[in-house]
Amino acid sequence: MTEAPGAALPVSADCVADTAGGLTFDIGGTAEAGPAHLVLRRRDGEECALPLAPAEGGRLRAALPSSVDLPEGRWDAYARFAEDEPHPLVPGVNDLRSLVDRVPGETAARIAVRIPYTTRQGTLAVRSWLRAPHAEAEELRIAQGALTVSGRLYGSGLASDAYAEVRERSGSKEMLRADVTARETEFGFTVPYAPLAPGTWDLWLRPAGEEGPRVRIARLLDDVVDKKPVFRYPRAAVRARHGEVWAWPYYTVDNDLSVTVSAVR
């Protein structure tokens, strides 16, 4: 297959993640003169350009440290040499071992998560989250028509009046409040399915009670970019105040934790 005149050929990129949430990109060298950049382009057009500098083996390297803000979203990766059109990057070797069961420092003011992945078109992209504070979902247990959530809070403390909110997503303003048990930065609570009407319910933590922030509960601290098709949980049949329902937890496309309730038909 011959490339059309002026078409940008794909360039392979290796990627290494570190425990702080930073990424290092290595790409093959080029004979082209002039400055070179690795460009991350969000789907809304926003760009982040990282200088590519010579590295060992004749390769070029760019670093995205955790201290550099990368707003939440999906960022396509390109290499730009001098004034040429950006070359799409394709995945090489991704070393994501440091992301498995990652535990940031408890004093971290915010959590930066960047996970490289392969798009449906076979190109390299980075999924980014930036949360302050962040409520990380760890263990989910389903028993006796209820969901029990255990997790850890980063970037804030847990007050004695902390609680969890289960909010109906459609805007009906329905909300279920669940008491939180807290131990330093660890939290836990149980959501009974019976009071929930059919619909989608999002889970939030109120670490400082009613006067403090509302923090979306999510699972971000691992190497799985899309949790929804990977973490599957069983449905529970419940006799609710709205009739017979199926209820089950799931992770959204943003890896936030929610519960679906569906009427039994």
Side-chain angles (χ1 to χ4, degrees):
M1 178 177 174
T2 303
E3 289 287 333
L9 295 173
V11 177
S12 177
D14 298 336
C15 189
V16 178
D18 63 42
T19 55
L23 296 176
T24 300
F25 302 87
D26 279 4
I27 70 172
T30 174
E32 299 183 50
H37 291 84
L38 187 140
V39 178
L40 297 175
R41 181 181 296 161
R42 199 163 63 167
R43 304 295 165 85
D44 63 359
E46 181 176 353
E47 287 190 357
C48 174
L50 307 170
L52 280 163
E56 63 271 11
R59 296 174 68 79
L60 296 173
R61 177 170 296 166
L64 175 65
S66 60
S67 57
V68 173
D69 287 349
L70 191 69
E72 292 203 17
R74 297 179 184 268
W75 299 74
D76 296 310
Y78 302 86
R80 178 185 290 144
F81 304 109
E83 300 301 323
D84 289 350
E85 289 296 314
H87 297 247
L89 291 176
V90 296
V93 177
N94 283 342
D95 184 352
L96 307 182
R97 289 173 294 177
S98 66
L99 299 183
V100 179
D101 298 323
R102 176 186 167 203
V103 181
E106 294 184 359
T107 59
R110 63 167 177 68
I111 297 299
V113 177
R114 292 84 177 260
I115 305 178
Y117 69 99
T118 305
T119 69
R120 293 179 180 177
Q121 293 74 37
T123 56
L124 178 65
V126 174
R127 183 70 169 91
S128 174
W129 291 265
L130 193 62
R131 306 247 169 134
H134 168 57
E136 176 75 4
E138 294 179 343
E139 183 182 9
L140 305 186
R141 288 182 287 117
I142 301 166
Q144 299 179 338
L147 168 68
T148 298
V149 180
S150 300
R152 187 179 297 272
L153 180 66
Y154 296 92
S156 182
L158 286 161
S160 59
D161 56 348
Y163 64 93
E165 284 183 359
V166 187
R167 303 185 69 90
E168 211 280 320
R169 186 184 297 175
S170 69
S172 68
K173 298 184 179 180
E174 285 195 64
M175 188 268 288
L176 175 70
R177 178 169 170 162
D179 293 335
V180 163
T181 58
R183 179 183 171 186
E184 296 181 347
T185 61
E186 298 177 358
F187 64 86
F189 61 90
T190 297
V191 179
Y193 290 147
L196 304 181
T200 301
W201 297 78
D202 297 328
L203 276 62
W204 301 78
L205 184 66
R206 300 296 295 267
E210 293 183 358
E211 302 304 319
R214 180 181 290 116
V215 182
R216 191 71 165 93
I217 299 173
R219 183 174 180 131
L220 306 179
L221 299 177
D222 57 30
D223 62 340
V224 181
V225 67
D226 288 312
K227 308 293 192 295
K228 189 173 183 178
V230 176
F231 293 85
R232 308 295 290 268
Y233 297 94
R235 300 189 302 172
V238 179
R239 182 179 294 279
R241 62 187 178 92
H242 300 276
E244 295 285 344
V245 300
W246 290 109
W248 65 96
Y250 77 99
Y251 288 104
T252 71
V253 293
D254 292 322
N255 292 349
D256 297 324
L257 182 59
S258 296
V259 170
T260 292
V261 179
S262 177
V264 175
R265 301 189 185 280

